[in-house]
């Protein structure tokens, strides 16, 4: 039979090994070498942290270290490469970290304070458009004190800065192997994380082996992991059922999840672990496009989109409607779009357009990526097209590209309307607002929103008690409704499907929903 665990919070995680039956135990401490294979439809777009603000983090978390990190079950950053970190003042403008002693990179180079400074500084020097430089807006300078101490001086109070340092984008790299002025593109990694990247073939696989010199928080329950990249989730599920891979993460379609839950193949040798996710999907409108640049057009689309139908038809209960950029489960979540537009209404949408002098059907092109968010993306956009055209107010053309070229296109402002997904950098409402506004918006287009960038964000970043910032973020969510530059659609649930003999699936996704490969292990009989 299948086993399904519903994980509402990290503190309530259940033991998968117990769910699988008392006749099995972990042999992660035995002399048998543990080698696992994990499948995903989300392959890295880059191997260089200075360019990564996307699903590339999945690999980076496992081969690099950050100063602090989010172990499973944590609600705030905890030491990784650092021995300890803290703000040194009451205004949250100076953050000091002391490194563990004896750290080194996989090339033998010393991981010291200067290497930390180098790693962070090169992100800002290279400044990849749409890259993680946008996360470092509050950083003034990095100071080193001896070999082990690093102080981050901020231009303004920022209580979220430790959360930023915990993201894989802030991974520490070996200065001798990474240019200070350009992205590394030789397909290799030189880090200090739990695993070494033994081999990498773009679009095919990553071969990870245990790093013998690793010093950090990860308790590795296996010795090696092969990550296989699939173009289609159907092929990934087939590989799981044929025991060619041991587990999957990212990319299961709703139909596949439902099938696994219902055990339609009756094989009884698989399990499915579910957790409520904070990942969201939304549409981005290009203000420079002749049609999408008109507020009335954007508001009419917001009035027409039927999220309930979208979720029911395409995602079959594996997602839920989202009416704000801040999802359920995150402090300050609201339903601001529903509060403004209510239920889908073609007559109201038509009035919005005619009041703006638009009387003919609006022709628009919607873009989406084919290989980043799973096999349900194309059906999702088919359903959006159906809904908008059924009103008689729009004529929609759909176009798509693989992620690498798709990302390049939206960073150049090529698309009138396009779909984006967002997996949280860290579990805080700031992370569902700040990345999308300002000159370094991750949408690739500057989004001036002074009410947020000059008021809400500066005020809330002074507050170390993150539960006390909800009211300000309610204001920010309302501000995003006013011009509908972003239109939230749904938030998802996350699933790990695995063989019955695989343990650790319930702990593998950290609070950033990044896969920690070291939590997986193969069980053995008594």
């Amino acid at each position: 039979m299948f086993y399904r665990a519903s994980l509402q919070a990290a503190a309530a995680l259940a033991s998968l090994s117990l769910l699988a039956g008392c006749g099995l135990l972990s042999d992660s401490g035995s002399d048998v070498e543990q080698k696992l294979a994990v499948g995903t439809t989300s392959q890295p777009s880059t191997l260089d942290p200075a360019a990564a603000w996307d699903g590339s983090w999945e690999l980076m978390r496992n081969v690099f270290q950050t100063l602090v990190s989010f172990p499973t079950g944590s609600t705030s950053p905890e030491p990784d490469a650092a021995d300890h970190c803290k703000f040194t003042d009451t205004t949250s403008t100076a953050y000091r970290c002391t490194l563990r002693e004896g750290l080194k990179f996989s090339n033998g180079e010393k991981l010291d304070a200067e290497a930390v400074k180098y790693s962070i500084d090169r992100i800002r020097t290279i400044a990849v458009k749409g890259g993680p430089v946008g996360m470092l807006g509050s950083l003034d300078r990095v100071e080193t004190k001896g070999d082990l101490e690093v102080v981050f001086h901020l231009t303004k109070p920022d209580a979220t800065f430790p959360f930023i340092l915990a993201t894989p984008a802030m991974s520490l790299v070996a200065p001798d192997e990474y240019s200070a002025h350009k992205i590394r593109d030789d397909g290799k990694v030189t880090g200090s994380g739990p695993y070494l990247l033994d081999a990498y073939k773009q679009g095919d696989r990553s071969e990870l082996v245990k790093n013998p010199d690793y010093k950090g928080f990860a308790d590795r329950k296996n010795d090696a992991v092969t990550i296989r990249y699939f173009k289609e989730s159907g092929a990934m599920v087939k590989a799981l059922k044929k025991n060619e891979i041991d587990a999957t993460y990212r990319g299961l379609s709703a139909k596949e999840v439902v099938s696994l839950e219902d055990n339609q193949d009756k094989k009884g040798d698989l399990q499915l672990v579910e957790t409520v996710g904070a990942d969201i999907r939304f549409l981005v409108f290009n203000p420079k496009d002749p049609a999408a640049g008109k507020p009335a057009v954007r508001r009419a689309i917001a009035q027409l989109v039927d999220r309930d139908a979208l979720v029911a038809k395409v995602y079959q209960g594996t997602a839920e409607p989202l009416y704000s950029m801040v999802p359920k489960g995150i402090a300050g979540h609201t339903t601001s779009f529903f509060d403004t537009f209510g239920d889908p209404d073609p007559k109201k949408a038509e009035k919005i357009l005619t009041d703006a002098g638009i009387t003919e059907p609006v022709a628009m092109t919607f873009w989406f990526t084919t290989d980043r968010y799973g096999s349900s993306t194309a059906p999702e956009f088919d359903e959006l097209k159906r809904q908008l055209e059924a009103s008689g107010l729009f004529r929609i053309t759909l176009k798509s590209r693989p992620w690498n070229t798709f990302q390049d296109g939206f960073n150049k402002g090529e698309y009138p309307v396009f779909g984006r997904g967002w997996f949280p950098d860290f579990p805080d409402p700031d992370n569902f607002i700040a990345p999308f506004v300002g000159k370094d918006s991750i949408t690739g287009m500057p989004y001036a929103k002074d009410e947020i960038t000059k008021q809400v964000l500066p005020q809330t970043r002074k507050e170390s008690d993150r539960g006390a910032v909800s009211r300000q973020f309610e204001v920010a969510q309302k501000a995003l409704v006013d011009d509908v530059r972003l239109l939230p659609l749904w938030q998802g649930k996350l699933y790990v499907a695995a063989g019955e003999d695989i343990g650790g699936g319930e702990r593998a996704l950290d609070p950033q929903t990044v896969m920690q490969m070291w939590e997986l292990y193969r069980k053995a009989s008594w």
Side-chain angles (χ1 to χ4, degrees):
M1 62 180 293
F2 281 78
Y3 302 98
R4 178 181 174 186
S6 181
L7 311 181
Q8 300 301 322
L13 291 173
S15 169
L16 195 60
S17 60
L18 291 177
L19 288 171
C22 60
L24 299 172
L25 56 87
S26 165
D27 68 353
S28 59
S30 73
D31 293 333
V32 178
E33 188 175 26
Q34 287 262 348
K35 293 183 177 181
L36 301 177
V38 179
T40 179
T41 61
S42 179
Q43 63 174 293
S45 64
T46 177
L47 299 185
D48 191 328
W53 204 352
D54 59 17
S56 303
W57 287 9
E58 299 281 8
L59 177 60
M60 292 177 186
R61 172 58 75 212
N62 292 277
V63 296
F64 290 106
Q65 276 186 292
T66 44
L67 286 169
V68 290
S69 189
F70 279 103
T72 298
S74 63
T75 57
S76 59
E78 297 183 13
D80 185 8
D83 181 71
H84 57 271
C85 296
K86 66 176 183 178
F87 280 107
T88 62
D89 57 2
T90 58
T91 59
S92 298
T93 57
Y95 191 68
R96 177 181 296 162
C97 289
T98 301
L99 292 170
R100 297 176 188 263
E101 294 188 11
L103 294 178
K104 63 179 180 179
F105 294 105
S106 56
N107 65 346
E109 191 175 349
K110 184 166 63 172
L111 198 173
D112 58 9
E114 284 296 333
V116 173
K117 174 177 168 59
Y118 183 91
S119 298
I120 304 302
D121 284 348
R122 73 184 291 268
I123 295 173
R124 298 203 295 170
T125 299
I126 298 174
V128 172
K129 187 174 183 180
V133 65
M135 303 173 69
L136 295 172
S138 65
L139 179 62
D140 178 29
R141 60 188 175 90
V142 184
E143 178 188 11
T144 62
K145 295 185 176 182
D147 286 343
L148 298 180
E149 193 169 302
V150 184
V151 182
F152 298 91
H153 297 277
L154 309 181
T155 59
K156 52 193 173 185
D158 188 358
T160 71
F161 191 74
F163 292 78
I164 293 168
L165 286 182
T167 67
M170 303 299 139
S171 293
L172 307 177
V173 299
D176 286 353
E177 303 287 348
Y178 289 81
S179 167
H181 303 287
K182 64 179 182 179
I183 294 301
R184 183 175 181 177
D185 59 2
D186 62 356
K188 297 180 180 180
V189 161
T190 310
S192 59
Y195 298 96
L196 306 177
L197 183 61
D198 191 51
Y200 175 72
K201 184 177 180 181
Q202 186 175 0
D204 182 44
R205 67 186 61 212
S206 294
E207 299 283 355
L208 310 184
V209 297
K210 186 184 288 187
N211 180 0
D213 298 316
Y214 171 70
K215 294 181 179 181
F217 74 90
D219 179 13
R220 294 164 296 182
K221 297 177 174 64
N222 59 65
D223 300 294
V225 178
T226 296
I227 304 175
R228 288 185 55 188
Y229 303 115
F230 292 85
K231 292 182 179 180
E232 297 291 339
S233 59
M236 180 172 68
V237 173
K238 287 181 180 178
L240 179 65
K241 291 180 177 180
K242 292 169 65 177
N243 296 319
E244 295 173 353
I245 58 175
D246 298 296
T248 72
Y249 75 97
R250 299 279 190 237
L252 289 175
S253 70
K255 182 178 180 180
E256 288 156 351
V257 170
V258 171
S259 175
L260 290 170
E261 287 180 323
D262 293 343
N263 193 18
Q264 292 178 3
D265 63 4
K266 308 299 182 184
K267 290 183 64 178
D269 57 357
L270 297 176
Q271 57 184 313
L272 189 69
V273 178
E274 172 192 313
T275 181
V276 176
D279 60 310
I280 66 173
R281 297 294 184 277
F282 55 97
L283 295 178
V284 182
F285 295 91
N286 187 340
K288 294 184 179 180
D289 179 76
K294 297 177 180 178
V297 170
R298 303 196 297 267
R299 293 180 64 83
I301 292 174
Q303 186 65 71
L304 286 171
V305 169
D306 188 338
R307 295 168 177 83
D308 287 323
L310 177 67
V311 167
K313 292 182 179 180
V314 179
Y315 291 100
Q316 303 176 52
T318 64
E320 54 185 315
L322 180 64
Y323 295 95
S324 164
M325 293 300 288
V326 178
K328 288 182 180 179
I330 301 296
H333 164 74
T334 69
T335 55
S336 50
F337 274 86
F338 184 83
D339 298 341
T340 300
F341 295 100
D343 292 321
D345 192 323
K347 290 185 178 179
K348 288 183 179 179
E350 182 177 15
K351 187 176 188 306
I352 291 172
L353 292 174
T354 55
D355 285 352
I358 303 171
T359 58
E360 297 294 325
V362 181
M364 304 183 76
T365 301
F366 281 31
W367 284 82
F368 62 92
T369 181
T370 57
D371 60 352
R372 174 57 56 176
Y373 306 124
S375 301
S376 297
T377 305
E380 174 183 339
F381 275 78
D382 287 338
E383 172 62 14
L384 289 172
K385 171 183 169 72
R386 185 199 67 76
Q387 291 182 11
L388 296 178
E389 292 188 338
S391 70
L393 302 174
F394 290 90
R395 295 196 306 271
I396 305 299
T397 300
L398 299 180
K399 292 187 178 182
S400 61
R401 286 176 176 172
W403 175 253
N404 281 344
T405 52
F406 176 78
Q407 184 179 33
D408 184 60
F410 71 67
N411 280 327
K412 292 179 179 177
E414 294 178 358
Y415 310 141
V417 185
F418 61 95
R420 275 296 313 258
W422 182 249
F423 297 94
D425 302 329
F426 48 86
D428 188 276
D430 185 288
N431 194 233
F432 292 90
I433 300 292
F436 309 112
V437 296
K439 63 183 181 64
D440 293 316
S441 167
I442 59 97
T443 65
M445 296 173 288
Y447 184 9
K449 204 69 177 171
D450 288 353
E451 185 177 2
I452 297 175
T453 57
K454 294 184 178 180
Q455 296 179 39
V456 172
L457 295 180
Q459 291 170 7
T460 57
R461 287 175 177 176
K462 294 177 182 178
E463 180 58 67
S464 58
D465 179 4
R466 302 309 293 163
V469 299
S470 295
R471 184 176 296 276
Q472 293 99 315
F473 280 107
E474 290 173 6
V475 172
Q477 290 167 81
K478 179 61 172 67
L480 293 179
V481 176
D482 293 341
D483 58 9
V484 196
R485 283 276 301 273
L486 308 167
L487 183 64
L489 298 174
W490 55 267
Q491 74 178 89
K493 301 174 183 178
L494 297 176
Y495 299 88
V496 174
E500 188 182 34
D501 64 332
I502 300 300
E506 81 290 352
R507 291 187 56 82
L509 294 175
D510 72 5
Q512 297 166 304
T513 69
V514 171
M515 189 72 148
Q516 300 178 140
M517 296 296 177
W518 58 83
E519 293 287 359
L520 300 176
Y521 60 89
R522 193 181 309 281
K523 305 168 193 171
S525 300
W526 290 106

